[in-house]
Amino acid sequence: DIQMTQSPSFLSASVGDRVTLSCKASQNINKYLAWYQQKLGEAPKLLIYNANSLQTGIPSRFSGSGSGTDFTLTISSLQPEDVATYFCLQHNSWPLTFGSGTKLEIK
Amino acid sequence: EVQLVESGGGLVQPGRSLKLSCVASGFTFNNYWMTWIRQAPGKGLEWVASITNTGGSTYYPDSVKGRFTISRDNAKSTLYLQMNSLRSEDTATYYCTRRIRGYFDYWGQGVMVTVSS
């Protein structure tokens, strides 16, 4: 199984900060990585697919990059509504696996 | 508007069975693979089962293989998850999701399953 490692597990940043979240795969997953945002008590929401494609309706301050084993989700200017846990998903091969998440809070 | 509405959750004893349903609307159901994903309380996300658009093939992780069965009724735009031999570690919120090109673009609100005596 492909292991997905997210870092950091917890991040506290200020409004307006540029924030970078990391997701590393235990083996090559090409570009087949998605990022999800989950707010407290809600279902996850798709932000980014195929490593760098922004889902329709998602603010442009969110962006994704990477390929192979190393991937990054960047929020260019953190907003209060971005408080959430962020998960990555590899869909390169079965079984599909998620990272353990990064919890993002406002300082 | 795409909507996925799960039902059928609840409290069940270990070793018993439960069947979840997910009614889909707002898209052509039989054009899409569908997937169940679960999340234990305070934990991360775990893929549980996937089914092709025709229902001809299904996929499971080892953790549920042989105990869970995913199925669909395209005429009713409904996805199912039959869960047998339930264990305490199956306690989670179960999400119905639409799969597109490998990832999941729409999620239901989730249904809670609690396995406890």
Side-chain angles (χ1 to χ4, degrees):
Chain A
D1 298 4
I2 297 176
Q3 308 301 316
M4 305 300 293
T5 302
Q6 288 188 244
S7 62
S9 299
F10 177 83
L11 180 59
S12 183
S14 301
V15 172
D17 281 355
R18 182 180 181 87
V19 171
T20 300
L21 283 61
S22 172
C23 180
K24 294 184 185 296
S26 60
Q27 56 188 271
N28 181 18
I29 59 169
N30 300 294
K31 65 174 184 178
Y32 299 117
L33 184 104
W35 288 97
Y36 293 87
Q37 176 193 66
Q38 186 177 32
K39 297 183 178 180
L40 196 63
E42 297 183 5
K45 178 195 294 186
L46 176 66
L47 300 176
I48 300 287
Y49 61 93
N50 291 345
N52 59 13
S53 296
L54 189 68
Q55 173 70 348
T56 302
I58 301 301
S60 59
R61 64 179 180 274
F62 291 93
S63 64
S65 63
S67 66
T69 59
D70 290 353
F71 300 86
T72 299
L73 174 69
T74 299
I75 307 173
S76 61
S77 178
L78 187 65
Q79 300 301 304
E81 60 267 31
D82 299 336
V83 168
T85 299
Y86 293 82
F87 294 97
C88 59
L89 161 74
Q90 71 81 16
H91 55 94
N92 181 75
S93 59
W94 304 101
L96 310 176
T97 47
F98 290 89
S100 56
T102 292
K103 187 173 184 180
L104 178 59
E105 291 192 354
I106 300 292
K107 194 180 294 182
Chain B
E1 179 194 6
V2 172
Q3 285 199 314
L4 300 168
V5 180
E6 303 98 334
S7 62
L11 174 64
V12 61
Q13 293 179 328
R16 304 298 288 259
S17 299
L18 200 64
K19 187 173 186 176
L20 306 182
S21 299
C22 169
V23 176
S25 60
F27 66 101
T28 304
F29 185 68
N30 60 15
N31 281 352
Y32 292 87
W33 288 42
M34 298 295 291
T35 293
W36 289 97
I37 292 169
R38 68 184 179 185
Q39 186 171 36
K43 301 296 185 181
L45 299 164
E46 181 185 16
W47 165 66
V48 173
S50 292
I51 188 167
T52 58
N53 59 312
T54 62
S57 294
T58 57
Y59 303 82
Y60 307 92
D62 288 345
S63 58
V64 307
K65 195 175 295 182
R67 299 189 300 123
F68 289 12
T69 302
I70 188 172
S71 62
R72 64 192 296 161
D73 184 337
N74 284 346
K76 296 182 178 179
S77 296
T78 302
L79 178 72
Y80 303 101
L81 185 68
Q82 176 68 47
M83 303 184 292
N84 299 332
S85 303
L86 282 161
R87 306 167 180 167
S88 58
E89 55 264 38
D90 296 319
T91 293
T93 295
Y94 285 73
Y95 294 102
C96 167
T97 71
R98 189 178 82 167
R99 186 171 185 261
I100 180 169
R101 294 187 293 274
Y103 53 92
F104 314 112
D105 60 347
Y106 285 94
W107 298 55
Q109 83 287 352
V111 62
M112 185 68 200
V113 173
T114 303
V115 184
S116 175
S117 54

